[in-house]
Amino acid sequence: MGAIVGFLGYGRMAQAISEGLDKSGLAPYKRQLASDVAKASLAKLREKRGFAEARDNVQLVAKSPIVVIAVKPHQVRGVLSEVGDGMAGKLVISIAAGVTLATLADHVHQEASIVRVIPNLPALIGEGVTLLAAQPKTDEHDLENARKVFSAVGEVYDVPESLFNEGTAVSGSGPAYFFLVMEAMVRAAVRLGIPWDLARKLVAKTCQGAGATAMARPGIGLAELRDQVTSPGGTTAEGLLALERGGLTSLFHDAVKAASDRGKALS
Ligand SMILES: NC(=O)c1ccc[n+]([C@@H]2O[C@H](COP(=O)([O-])OP(=O)(O)OC[C@H]3O[C@@H](n4cnc5c(N)ncnc54)[C@H](OP(=O)(O)O)[C@@H]3O)[C@@H](O)[C@H]2O)c1
């Protein structure tokens, strides 16, 4: 990628993206900068990871052609009012949930390219999903660089910003839904006498395998994949019937809609 990537805020998500950029070789630590109000923990990480130093947010922006805004949503306006004018000519990527492109544009120099993304938690292990939307004027070179940054921690999908609340309710909140489903399966397995450790491994690996199979066979419908596991008169059919009696499908309709509505209310 070549350009220096600067992180405004170096918390959990920024550290994950930064590690992915280093591991993938797209931007090794020595081509990254970070600033954070938590100076002591940042200094430790800087020593360990070996990225260059920025005295403060203003200097970080001055030195970084690509700036990732990675503070909490309620901190974004404050940070941008401090550095907004220095953003002219920069590629500015915000990961802050619920902060729209229009809000970012209000606080950032108009000659900046602004991209908004929603990564998700598995970015921590390079298995994330990132939704990406940009201002219409953003050129292809900047868009490609923004996609590259997040491809270092998983898959990137261009999604119209008008679908961000809905998308966030799926991929942003999704890991929590699956953790809950996995926890329920582990408890059910333990109830039947399977030891905790083994139950967790069986469930997590089965979940991973099902996801990987769905990704590897995009031409096969999910219902067809399910049918492949369901023999007539067999065990899976009984399990699936119990899940449907409990209203699993309509529960997911309600859950995703509720999360999306909450996203709209918050933004
Ligand atoms: N975690 C997720 O799964 C996830 C998923 C998608 C999107 N996001 C978005 O990612 C962003 C960061 O989330 P996170 O979980 O990484 O948060 P985090 O761990 O709290 O990281 C934010 C960091 O920025 C620092 N900071 C606050 N004000 C600052 C300032 N003025 N200048 C420089 N640094 C400042 C914070 O310090 P203090 O702690 O001292 O305030 C903190 O170290 C959020 O906007 C969130 O919406 C997170």
Side-chain angles (χ1 to χ4, degrees), residues 117-237:
V117 299
I118 303 286
N120 72 358
L121 187 75
L124 296 175
I125 58 153
E127 292 289 339
V129 165
T130 297
L131 312 178
L132 183 147
Q135 283 181 309
K137 66 169 190 177
T138 310
D139 68 32
E140 195 46 46
H141 176 258
D142 280 343
L143 263 178
E144 205 36 53
N145 271 340
R147 289 187 195 111
K148 273 187 191 158
V149 169
F150 290 88
S151 68
V153 288
E155 302 272 335
V156 180
Y157 298 96
D158 288 7
V159 174
E161 193 186 26
S162 57
L163 282 177
F164 257 38
N165 288 314
E166 291 78 358
T168 305
V170 177
S171 60
S173 307
Y177 308 152
F178 285 112
F179 291 137
L180 183 63
V181 168
M182 286 195 287
E183 194 189 334
M185 272 182 84
V186 169
R187 285 186 181 280
V190 168
R191 179 166 171 250
L192 297 184
I194 299 178
W196 281 103
D197 270 12
L198 179 61
R200 184 183 158 128
K201 283 180 192 148
L202 295 182
V203 168
K205 189 64 194 168
T206 301
C207 190
Q208 187 187 32
T213 306
M215 287 300 285
R217 303 274 186 277
I220 305 181
L222 294 176
E224 199 182 331
L225 286 174
R226 177 158 52 83
D227 288 349
Q228 289 178 9
V229 193
T230 315
S231 4
T235 57
T236 310

Side-chain angles (χ1 to χ4, degrees), residues 228-257:
Q228 289 178 9
V229 193
T230 315
S231 4
T235 57
T236 310
E238 289 304 310
L240 289 170
L241 180 62
L243 286 172
E244 286 307 341
R245 275 197 189 117
L248 184 85
T249 303
S250 66
L251 260 183
F252 269 97
H253 279 281
D254 290 350
V256 175
K257 175 81 168 56

Side-chain angles (χ1 to χ4, degrees), residues 8-14 35-38 57 69-73 75-76 78-79 82 95-98 117-121 172:
L8 271 180
Y10 201 65
R12 207 162 35 145
M13 283 309 283
S35 70
D36 197 293
V37 287
N57 292 342
I69 301 170
V71 294
K72 293 281 191 208
Q75 297 162 332
V76 170
V79 169
E82 189 188 345
I95 70 170
V117 299
I118 303 286
N120 72 358
L121 187 75

